[in-house]
Amino acid sequence: MTSPEKNANDETRALLGEYEHFLAGKADGTTDAYLRTVRHLIGWLVQRPDNAGQFQSQQLTQPAVEGYLTYLEQEGLSLPHRARVKSTISNFAQFLIEEKGLLQRNPTRGIDLPPVLPPAPGQISQEQRSILRALVKQADDQRGAAVFALGYWAGCRVSEVSWLQMAHTHVGPQVGWLHVGHDGKKWRDIDLVNKAREPLYAYLQATADKGRMYVFTSQRRERLTEEGIYYWFRTLKAGAKGEQGEVIEELNFNHLRHDFAGRAREAGWSAEEVAYYLGDVSKQGVPTVQTSVQHTPVSREQVQHKLKDIQG
């Protein structure tokens, strides 16, 4: 004879199967993220003392959802993550209301989370930064780590990374600087923070061909092309699981440079200092971007001392 507990589990699996069908039309990653969130919610609900290890739709009340979101906060999950969870629960509740007739009211109504502030123009969110850094670490690829570091921690253009020459790369175990630019434009000397220098130094130490012209090579060409860098970045993002893939879906390598500029401004850099370091200046040394302050000369030493203030 089949046990009541097994019947309850079968019913839950059948309900989730119907919910998956309800989600038809959404991207595969979105569907996976929704189902994973709902399974986790159900797992949390059935462990509540009053629920006897079984899930019933009536357990999905406003106090229960509030308790679940509080639990996620206590577990250290970010506000953007909790906001997505709330949205998913709302979607699941609408399924239970409209398709199954098992609920009368959406339990997320009346639950207010603090607003999720968008990142400053040109910047990426802290959650996106964390995901990208974790993916780089997970990939365990010295070349990729160095390429990422030059975009994220030095604000280099994709062309500047692609065309970077060994003769212009001066890095050691303690200090490092680059002569960067491309096609005769915006050439400059920039000092590197340790988080940019260290992966670049590790990559250079690990590569055998010390006499090559370009720092970053590929199997097919003497250098890693701009298209190759964009492809590498897409491959990096493809390693994200579930909803993390959605969070970083719109990002490309160029976002790293813009984000570096925003983080430098947050660290107290002037617009002129950012423009100087990134090479966004005219031949006369004037920033090519619009600023609201009068132009003042910027020196390499002046910027060097402020590099340590940039957070990531």
Side-chain angles (χ1 to χ4, degrees):
M1 185 173 184
T2 304
S3 69
E5 182 178 352
K6 186 177 186 302
N7 284 335
N9 290 335
D10 289 344
E11 290 175 6
T12 300
R13 281 193 290 269
L15 184 67
L16 289 174
E18 292 183 59
Y19 179 53
E20 183 174 5
H21 183 73
F22 176 75
L23 296 172
K26 293 186 180 293
D28 290 344
T30 301
T31 298
D32 290 343
Y34 274 41
L35 289 171
R36 187 167 49 254
T37 295
V38 171
R39 289 192 189 101
H40 191 270
L41 168 68
I42 290 174
W44 182 85
L45 283 171
V46 300
Q47 294 178 30
R48 299 302 91 196
D50 296 337
N51 294 337
Q54 297 182 14
F55 173 70
Q56 300 292 331
S57 300
Q58 292 75 15
Q59 297 164 4
L60 204 58
T61 63
Q62 181 176 331
V65 174
E66 288 176 332
Y68 181 63
L69 294 174
T70 299
Y71 162 76
L72 295 181
E73 182 178 14
Q74 292 170 345
E75 289 293 299
L77 295 174
S78 67
L79 175 60
H81 178 92
R82 285 179 278 130
R84 289 195 301 274
V85 167
K86 178 189 171 186
S87 176
T88 299
I89 296 174
S90 177
N91 179 272
F92 181 56
Q94 286 303 117
F95 159 73
L96 295 176
I97 294 169
E98 298 172 5
E99 300 294 320
K100 303 297 295 179
L102 296 175
L103 282 183
Q104 299 297 317
R105 183 177 184 276
N106 193 315
T108 63
R109 289 178 58 186
I111 298 178
D112 295 322
L113 294 175
V116 179
L117 299 178
Q123 285 190 257
I124 60 181
S125 70
Q126 187 60 49
E127 184 178 20
Q128 289 171 322
R129 294 169 187 157
S130 297
I131 293 171
L132 289 175
R133 292 196 305 267
L135 289 174
V136 171
K137 184 176 180 180
Q138 171 186 300
D140 193 24
D141 168 25
Q142 287 183 313
R143 187 188 69 170
V147 168
F148 178 82
L150 291 185
Y152 189 78
W153 288 109
C156 290
R157 297 177 178 85
V158 66
S159 60
E160 293 169 347
V161 176
S162 175
W163 291 90
L164 180 62
Q165 296 187 26
M166 293 290 289
H168 295 159
T169 303
H170 311 274
V171 296
Q174 299 297 327
V175 295
W177 62 277
L178 306 176
H179 183 61
V180 292
H182 173 57
D183 199 21
K185 301 175 183 177
K186 305 183 188 302
W187 286 95
R188 64 204 184 277
D189 294 336
I190 59 170
D191 295 284
L192 300 177
V193 295
N194 286 338
K195 290 182 179 179
R197 177 190 57 79
E198 290 170 353
L200 179 56
Y201 180 69
Y203 167 69
L204 292 172
Q205 290 297 106
T207 49
D209 184 11
K210 308 297 183 183
R212 65 189 185 276
M213 177 176 289
Y214 297 104
V215 170
F216 298 105
T217 59
S218 69
Q219 293 181 344
R220 297 182 178 180
R221 300 174 182 270
E222 64 176 348
R223 67 178 178 88
L224 180 62
T225 65
E226 290 93 329
E227 292 79 9
I229 293 174
Y230 287 128
Y231 176 80
W232 163 80
F233 195 81
R234 290 195 299 271
T235 303
L236 178 75
K237 294 195 303 175
K241 303 298 183 183
E243 64 182 23
Q244 288 190 339
E246 292 184 81
V247 174
I248 61 173
E249 182 177 6
E250 79 279 9
L251 300 182
N252 61 52
F253 189 84
N254 299 326
H255 284 92
L256 304 182
R257 172 179 170 84
H258 298 309
D259 188 58
F260 174 89
R263 287 181 286 124
R265 290 289 279 157
E266 289 177 353
W269 289 34
S270 69
E272 288 86 0
E273 289 167 337
V274 173
Y276 175 88
Y277 190 84
L278 296 183
D280 290 329
V281 295
S282 69
K283 292 181 179 180
Q284 292 73 37
V286 178
T288 56
V289 295
Q290 294 294 321
T291 67
S292 58
V293 296
Q294 185 175 358
H295 169 65
T296 55
V298 177
S299 68
R300 176 179 169 182
E301 292 75 18
Q302 176 182 335
V303 172
Q304 182 185 34
H305 292 307
K306 290 191 171 184
L307 280 169
K308 67 180 186 308
D309 299 327
I310 298 179
Q311 303 298 311

